[in-house]
Amino acid sequence: MTILNKERKGWGDRVLKFYIFMAFVFLFLPIAIIIVFSLNSGRYPSFPLQDFTVKWYKELMLDSRLLGSVKNSLIVAATVSFISTVLGFMGAYALRSYKLKAENFFLGFMAAPLTVPTLLLGLALLIFLNSFLSLQNSLLSVIISHTVFCAPFALFIIRARLRNVRISMEEAAWDLGAGRWQTVKELILPLCAPGLIAAALLTFTLSFDEFIIAWFVSGFQPTLPVKIWTMMRGGIKPTINAIGAIVFIFSMSILLIGEYFLGKKTNG
Amino acid sequence: MENISVELRHVTKAFGEVHAVRDLTLQVQPGSFLTLLGPSGCGKTTTLRMIGGFERPSAGEIFILGKTIAYESSTQRQTNMVFQDYALFPHKTVGQNIGFGLKMRGVKKAEIGKRVREMLDLINLSDVYDRMPHQLSGGQQQRVALARALILKPPVLLLDEPLGALDAKIRKQLQLELKQLQSELGITFIYVTHDQEEAMTMSDTIGIMNDGRLEQLDTPEKIYGDPQTLFVAKFVGECNIFEGRIRSEHPDIVDFEDNRGQIFKLKKDSLESAPVGKQASLVVRPEDIQVADAARKCVNRIQGRVEEKLYSGSIVRLVVDREGEKIMVDAHKGIAVSPPELIEIGWNPDAGSIIL
């Protein structure tokens, strides 16, 4: 019996491993193909492949409007990430410090922007920012809009981290003469630093890669995804593959660093 | 007011509908070791946390050295707390942990370093200055937590089951060290525990708490030898309880009649008044009861059948059956009785106490 079980287990294991392998293939093969075509000298994304080239990348570097959109995206992503992390931390710390009766209700509200279809969110934000706040479509609009869904995201990440800081530690700091702000500075911030870094990196990529909302509200200052979309309307050029490859590797790296900090444990 | 370290006046704490502490009044002498003892949920930790300023009383007042306690201005605090889970800061070294309070008070770095080393010497941990808390054993962590609280030289130190998480051997050793440290420094200790043995060995005064109320506040000897309530009698040590009433009163002696009509005599000294006819309980500790030959000389005697004989090291626990009533007796291990022998047990008027 034991031998049979072992064999069955080995067989099941192999199926599962194959399944995971296939899942990753489906996830990453299209992107891998983009990277491959970005290095292919042929004008059209079709097989067989032609010569190896980096000319599409060179061409990118000469496109000042594209580079401008990259700059826009970096400004937006950095600002959104900073504001979201600060707001997220403040929200998470407040939730921890004051026992809210309607905490779950409140959290549900916080999560709402993450669950509303971005198309609706983008449209709603466009109307709200234009008609109610009379803001011209600009990078500021994109920053506000992205913060709307990035701040809750940061809050959830930081809240999970803050749970590891025992209340008694905070009480001990207070007991030893630390005020509210000193407790935050000496205890809370250092202990949830990995959560803060993770939240900052993940919200950065969320904002950097976001297209739909940015398309609604960016106006004449397109972010990179909006710019790519405009370029694609004139046909798929090989340069787009090159941008895709760069953005993919960039976002992926930031995500992986973020995940590393998310998984990091504090001692004790 | 100067000669009272901590005073609680009619303190009540309610969490919503639940009363954690009810109308608690007590005074603590400076330099004494008070233990609040009771089962979990009796309100002892809540009381400690109110003295420490972590919870506000729903009613009543708390004074430390004659002043009401400050909840807000934390550096003005007169107490420091040692937490059950140590609550050491995991990202700071041992030295930084111990020096934290001084740093918050703006003491200069060199001075902090000097005083932290003094504290480490005091707790016999001179060589862990630069280590992280998680690199220390549980006992060492608890000592560091103690040093961190003591470095501020508080007149009152609060300890919330500080030895609860340690194993028996280290606990015994730290009990001794804590007691020595307390008498050396002359600081008032208010200690919370559910371990009666720990309370007995360490305290000058024990306050027994039950269901939010202070049942008895007394020396360990009095708590054990002269419990004022049935709860105290049952919670501290083991006892035999006879239900009955007070039959008559003499100059030194009270006659107690149990429900079977037998009369037991006992000394009156612990009773302020002995209202004749009142329902009462007679408490007799197992070790105060004599067996066989010794019992024959006793004033109060009972016949019974030995039902069980249980060895526990230096003594033997006999369970004696008195027509359905079980009486526990601790006898010397050499005792020559065995079940189901019929024997006589007895005690003199100076053993036992009456609870009204």
Side-chain angles (χ1 to χ4, degrees):
Chain A
M1 273 304 277
T2 47
I3 295 167
L4 197 76
N5 270 342
K6 213 174 187 177
E7 274 174 3
R8 201 182 287 163
K9 198 181 160 196
W11 182 79
D13 251 17
R14 252 172 277 152
V15 170
L16 283 177
K17 274 181 187 156
F18 180 72
Y19 170 74
I20 292 170
F21 174 75
M22 285 312 287
F24 276 102
V25 165
F26 271 96
L27 271 175
F28 289 107
L29 196 59
I31 296 164
I33 287 171
I34 283 184
I35 297 174
V36 168
F37 281 128
S38 78
L39 297 165
N40 179 29
S41 64
R43 192 146 260 288
Y44 302 101
S46 62
F47 292 101
L49 292 174
Q50 295 171 20
D51 300 330
F52 174 85
T53 178
V54 291
K55 74 173 173 192
W56 308 123
Y57 289 88
K58 279 185 186 157
E59 212 169 281
L60 277 185
M61 295 306 147
L62 298 173
D63 188 336
S64 64
R65 279 191 302 173
L66 184 72
L67 291 179
S69 75
V70 170
K71 195 178 137 206
N72 286 345
S73 268
L74 287 174
I75 291 170
V76 168
T79 316
V80 166
S81 147
F82 178 76
I83 297 173
S84 298
T85 306
V86 171
L87 288 180
F89 172 74
M90 296 201 300
Y93 187 60
L95 277 176
R96 170 199 170 86
S97 304
Y98 303 98
K99 286 266 170 285
L100 267 188
K101 269 195 183 143
E103 185 172 320
N104 285 331
F105 194 64
F106 179 78
L107 287 174
F109 257 115
M110 293 302 294
L114 303 176
T115 55
V116 172
T118 40
L119 194 64
L120 288 181
L121 194 62
L123 190 64
L125 281 162
L126 173 71
I127 295 167
F128 177 75
L129 292 173
N130 270 317
S131 311
F132 283 83
L133 299 184
S134 311
L135 273 179
Q136 289 292 315
N137 284 347
S138 68
L139 285 192
L140 180 63
S141 306
V142 184
I143 289 170
I144 294 171
S145 307
H146 280 183
T147 305
V148 166
F149 76 92
C150 283
F153 196 82
L155 180 135
F156 286 112
I157 293 177
I158 296 165
R159 199 172 95 95
R161 187 78 208 176
L162 266 179
R163 285 209 180 133
N164 295 338
V165 183
R166 290 197 302 271
I167 296 283
S168 65
M169 280 185 209
E170 235 178 307
E171 287 183 339
W174 189 70
D175 188 62
L176 294 166
R180 257 277 187 239
W181 169 240
Q182 276 171 316
T183 307
V184 169
K185 191 183 120 207
E186 294 280 340
L187 193 69
I188 304 294
L189 284 178
L191 286 179
C192 71
L196 294 175
I197 295 170
L201 293 174
L202 298 185
T203 50
F204 185 95
T205 56
L206 270 184
S207 166
F208 191 81
D209 297 338
E210 201 285 329
F211 162 66
I212 299 173
I213 297 173
W215 181 78
F216 273 106
V217 300
S218 60
F220 294 111
Q221 289 182 289
T223 60
L224 182 60
V226 176
K227 181 72 194 163
I228 293 173
W229 185 76
T230 337
M231 283 167 70
M232 285 198 306
R233 291 215 296 182
I236 310 254
K237 295 186 199 99
T239 44
I240 287 171
N241 293 334
I243 302 172
I246 292 170
V247 169
F248 172 74
I249 289 164
F250 177 70
S251 293
M252 226 25 215
S253 322
I254 291 179
L255 259 177
L256 286 177
I257 298 169
E259 290 293 336
Y260 165 77
F261 279 104
L262 259 188
K264 211 174 166 191
K265 286 203 172 68
T266 32
N267 302 317
Chain B
M1 293 305 284
E2 283 300 304
N3 51 5
I4 296 167
S5 180
V6 177
E7 183 179 10
L8 277 71
R9 282 190 210 154
H10 304 293
V11 170
T12 293
K13 177 72 187 179
F15 295 104
E17 295 289 297
V18 184
H19 279 71
V21 176
R22 300 161 196 261
D23 195 24
L24 186 83
T25 297
L26 65 82
Q27 294 183 345
V28 189
Q29 304 306 315
S32 70
F33 196 124
L34 168 76
T35 299
L36 295 174
L37 175 66
S40 59
C42 71
K44 55 190 193 297
T45 295
T46 307
T47 305
L48 193 76
R49 288 175 60 80
M50 283 194 286
I51 299 170
F54 296 105
E55 312 273 2
R56 270 173 197 275
S58 311
E61 285 177 294
I62 301 175
F63 300 92
I64 291 163
L65 302 175
K67 284 185 225 147
T68 49
I69 48 172
Y71 293 93
E72 306 299 342
S73 51
S74 47
T75 46
Q76 303 304 312
R77 299 157 55 74
Q78 304 266 29
T79 60
N80 283 114
M81 175 101 127
V82 177
F83 293 83
Q84 185 173 16
D85 62 358
Y86 322 137
L88 294 176
F89 308 136
H91 60 300
K92 290 180 185 286
T93 65
V94 168
Q96 286 169 335
N97 263 283
I98 298 176
F100 187 81
L102 294 176
K103 187 179 167 192
M104 290 303 108
R105 277 162 180 70
V107 177
K108 290 208 175 64
K109 259 197 176 163
E111 169 77 10
I112 294 178
K114 200 183 113 225
R115 281 176 62 185
V116 168
R117 288 192 191 282
E118 281 171 16
M119 282 315 296
L120 281 170
D121 286 341
L122 185 72
I123 57 163
N124 301 317
L125 277 179
S126 323
D127 52 349
V128 300
Y129 191 93
D130 288 317
R131 291 229 216 126
M132 300 308 280
H134 72 271
Q135 295 172 305
L136 306 182
S137 70
Q140 288 173 323
Q141 289 186 24
Q142 190 50 271
R143 281 186 208 167
V144 171
L146 189 68
R148 187 176 68 174
L150 283 175
I151 200 167
L152 297 172
K153 299 180 176 152
V156 181
L157 186 73
L158 310 173
L159 302 104
D160 183 11
E161 306 216 17
L163 309 180
L166 302 173
D167 60 56
K169 204 175 159 194
I170 297 170
R171 196 159 63 218
K172 282 258 189 306
Q173 192 194 333
L174 275 174
Q175 281 173 11
L176 215 69
E177 284 182 26
L178 266 178
K179 182 68 194 158
Q180 281 171 356
L181 206 60
Q182 189 262 337
S183 41
E184 243 171 73
L185 299 172
I187 292 176
T188 308
F189 273 34
I190 302 182
Y191 192 96
V192 159
T193 184
H194 62 265
D195 182 338
Q196 45 150 314
E197 200 189 320
E198 197 166 285
M200 287 285 168
T201 39
M202 297 169 83
S203 325
D204 299 319
T205 315
I206 296 177
I208 307 271
M209 290 187 71
N210 179 35
D211 194 25
R213 288 197 178 83
L214 188 64
E215 296 262 336
Q216 188 172 353
L217 185 70
D218 246 323
T219 60
E221 295 79 23
K222 282 271 201 177
I223 292 275
Y224 188 77
D226 187 15
Q228 297 296 304
T229 68
L230 276 180
F231 177 82
V232 174
K234 285 181 195 159
F235 189 75
V236 180
E238 287 174 291
C239 57
N240 299 295
I241 297 170
F242 301 92
E243 304 287 342
R245 64 190 181 92
I246 296 170
R247 170 74 179 265
S248 55
E249 191 186 356
H250 309 287
D252 301 331
I253 299 285
V254 174
D255 286 353
F256 174 88
E257 182 183 3
D258 80 351
N259 289 341
R260 293 162 189 242
Q262 186 171 356
I263 290 179
F264 300 114
K265 290 182 180 299
L266 82 157
K267 277 196 172 169
K268 203 178 154 186
D269 51 7
S270 67
L271 279 169
E272 280 175 19
S273 66
V276 173
K278 191 173 172 20
Q279 283 290 317
S281 306
L282 173 65
V283 172
V284 186
R285 300 281 179 196
E287 71 272 21
D288 288 337
I289 300 179
Q290 312 288 324
V291 185
D293 288 345
R296 232 157 277 149
K297 296 180 201 118
C298 291
V299 175
N300 305 310
R301 288 194 295 270
I302 290 175
Q303 299 282 333
R305 195 174 290 282
V306 179
E307 205 175 65
E308 273 182 276
K309 187 178 183 183
L310 309 158
Y311 287 92
S312 60
S314 58
I315 57 148
V316 172
R317 162 69 50 93
L318 300 172
V319 180
V320 178
D321 180 66
R322 179 206 190 197
E323 291 165 27
E325 186 175 23
K326 310 283 181 231
I327 299 168
M328 292 178 291
V329 181
D330 285 348
H332 189 263
K333 63 179 173 188
I335 192 86
V337 295
S338 50
E341 206 172 312
L342 198 66
I343 59 161
E344 196 165 41
I345 56 173
W347 65 93
N348 280 318
D350 56 351
S353 48
I354 279 186
I355 293 168
L356 294 172

